[in-house]
Amino acid sequence: MKSLSCPPSAAVETPVLSRRPLRLETAPEAVRAPARGAVVSMAGTVRDSEAGEAISSIVYEAYEPMAEREIRAVVAEAEKTWGVAAWARHRLGRVPAGEAAVLVAAAGVHREEAFAACRYLIEQIKHRAPIWKTAFEKIR
């Protein structure tokens, strides 16, 4: 459902790929505003196991120019479709278990569009952005 009463914010930070740890509080703060009563965020964190084996981290790589372009496109699509402010960031390199590999957030006037946009962000980024896991560091 599109809400035209909450236009996207020009001040929302451009999504980027990052080799630094992602702070969970960054996502909702990036889209929060007095006109937006619903703020929804999602963090995809690295689990401590993969295929039944204990791991300490995952290494993420990307075709960076295309990944950044796709993430920006997904954010713009969410903003246009649901009339929300949207934000996303994905981490690259070694990401220890328990830390965030991807963060997304959407804020709108009402929860329905904020939830829909947030779900769209994570699903489309996972589907479209050329980012992949290249190594699992197993615990011995």
Side-chain angles (χ1 to χ4, degrees):
M1 175 184 297
K2 188 171 182 177
S3 171
L4 298 177
S5 60
C6 183
S9 168
V12 173
E13 185 177 341
T14 302
V16 295
L17 300 172
S18 176
R19 294 191 184 281
R20 300 174 112 166
L22 302 176
R23 293 185 6 247
L24 298 178
E25 64 275 8
T26 304
E29 288 304 319
V31 295
R32 190 181 317 274
R36 300 184 195 113
V39 178
V40 178
S41 63
M42 186 270 175
T45 59
V46 173
R47 294 182 304 271
D48 65 359
S49 66
E50 182 67 29
E53 295 199 46
I55 63 167
S56 61
S57 64
I58 294 177
V59 177
Y60 289 90
E61 292 185 28
Y63 176 55
E64 293 183 38
M66 187 178 190
E68 290 222 12
R69 189 170 49 249
E70 283 300 316
I71 291 170
R72 284 188 189 103
V74 168
V75 167
E77 291 161 11
E79 289 182 336
K80 183 177 180 185
T81 301
W82 288 280
V84 298
W87 181 92
R89 182 165 287 163
H90 203 296
R91 187 153 168 207
L92 298 179
R94 183 181 167 276
V95 182
E99 290 190 14
V102 61
L103 297 176
V104 298
V109 175
H110 303 290
R111 67 182 177 274
E112 184 176 328
E113 60 259 28
F115 272 110
C118 191
R119 183 184 236 347
Y120 181 83
L121 289 166
I122 192 61
E123 297 294 340
Q124 291 300 307
I125 289 168
K126 295 289 283 178
H127 178 72
R128 292 167 42 183
I131 300 170
W132 54 92
K133 300 171 186 175
T134 59
F136 299 94
E137 295 177 354
K138 296 179 183 176
I139 298 173
R140 303 205 189 280

